[in-house]
Amino acid sequence: MTQDELKRQVGQAAVEYVLAHTGAGVVLGVGTGSTVNCFIDAMAPHRDRFQGAVSSSLASTQRLEHHGFTVIDPNAVTSVPVYVDGADEIDPRGNMVKGGGGALTREKILASLADVFVCIADASKRVPVLGGFPLPIEVVPMARALIERRVRALGGMPTLRANPDGTAFVTDNGHQILDVRGLTVGDPLAFEQQVNAWPGVLTMGVFALQRADMGLFATATGIETVRFG
């Protein structure tokens, strides 16, 4: 199966999970990325079952609205029964690296609202230890150089994320992203807490405080379901 086929397969599996585990009239939590796009597309025929959706990015909001979903401000909800999102890496305990699409801060906000965080991905995203994928850090622009120095002191190699035309990438929140290579994250929770405490960091792409509760992983032989303790 191609990677696109695997993404469609796991997107459909997530639809089946959500329909089986939520009642009518709830608010659906929706993440960002190409795999989540497959989930949104597959969920579209069932949109009238939901009160609406909260979305982690402008891109997902536009796709949801295109399919006729009502997109709700997260400030208007106290919780969502399930949040569905992808991952750039996920370890055996459900800790993840996310933010390849630049929506990491909003993704953490929605994950913290969710009763159940379901990670959807192809099986290649499963790793024994986080750090192979560059670690995103969303920073206030005036703190970029400060954060770069702190990352280098840990042994990391930070690069300012850029658009194809060479200009600095700007998140939906108006900030910049440093992508950090060369770090192995043996203790995701401690590392996330350490970097989040640096002045000028909005958030960073290790999801340990908001790790996945379960994973749906597409393989050549079908969907593998993993529940993280």
Side-chain angles (χ1 to χ4, degrees):
M1 298 179 72
T2 67
Q3 193 163 33
D4 285 344
E5 289 171 334
L6 291 172
K7 291 177 180 180
R8 287 193 292 270
Q9 182 188 54
V10 78
Q12 180 60 45
V15 168
E16 294 168 5
Y17 173 85
V18 170
L19 294 178
H21 291 85
T22 62
V26 301
V27 177
L28 180 63
V30 179
T32 296
S34 57
T35 306
V36 172
N37 286 343
C38 294
F39 167 69
I40 294 171
D41 295 345
M43 187 61 84
H46 309 284
R47 61 186 173 273
D48 293 338
R49 174 190 172 103
F50 300 96
Q51 178 185 342
V54 288
S55 162
S56 69
S57 67
L58 298 179
S60 288
T61 293
Q62 292 169 355
R63 198 176 194 96
L64 286 161
E65 290 178 339
H66 172 77
H67 282 301
F69 285 90
T70 299
V71 178
I72 299 171
D73 186 331
N75 288 301
V77 302
T78 57
S79 67
V80 295
V82 61
Y83 173 58
V84 178
D85 204 354
D88 299 305
E89 288 185 329
I90 183 166
D91 75 8
R93 297 195 64 246
N95 301 303
M96 295 166 286
V97 171
K98 293 173 51 56
L104 57 162
T105 298
R106 297 187 181 200
E107 289 170 345
K108 281 193 178 179
I109 292 168
L110 296 193
S112 70
L113 285 172
D115 297 331
V116 178
F117 183 173
V118 178
C119 174
I120 58 174
D122 66 82
S124 69
K125 302 300 175 62
R126 301 181 71 184
V127 298
V129 181
L130 303 179
F133 189 89
L135 301 171
I137 304 176
E138 185 169 352
V139 300
V140 177
M142 69 174 289
R144 184 186 68 248
L146 168 65
I147 303 306
E148 287 176 338
R149 290 193 295 272
R150 292 199 174 193
V151 165
R152 291 192 184 99
L154 296 178
M157 298 173 287
T159 302
L160 180 65
R161 187 177 296 186
N163 295 310
D165 63 1
T167 58
F169 175 87
V170 177
T171 70
D172 290 347
N173 307 309
H175 301 106
Q176 296 174 340
I177 289 182
L178 294 173
D179 290 310
V180 181
R181 293 165 173 80
L183 292 178
T184 298
V185 185
D187 187 340
L189 181 59
F191 185 69
E192 179 182 7
Q193 292 172 323
Q194 176 186 7
V195 176
N196 279 344
W198 292 347
V201 171
L202 192 61
T203 196
M204 55 92 70
V206 171
F207 280 57
L209 289 165
Q210 283 86 33
R211 64 190 178 99
D213 296 298
M214 67 174 295
L216 297 174
F217 301 107
T219 74
T221 57
I223 297 296
E224 182 179 358
T225 301
V226 178
R227 287 178 171 79
F228 302 105

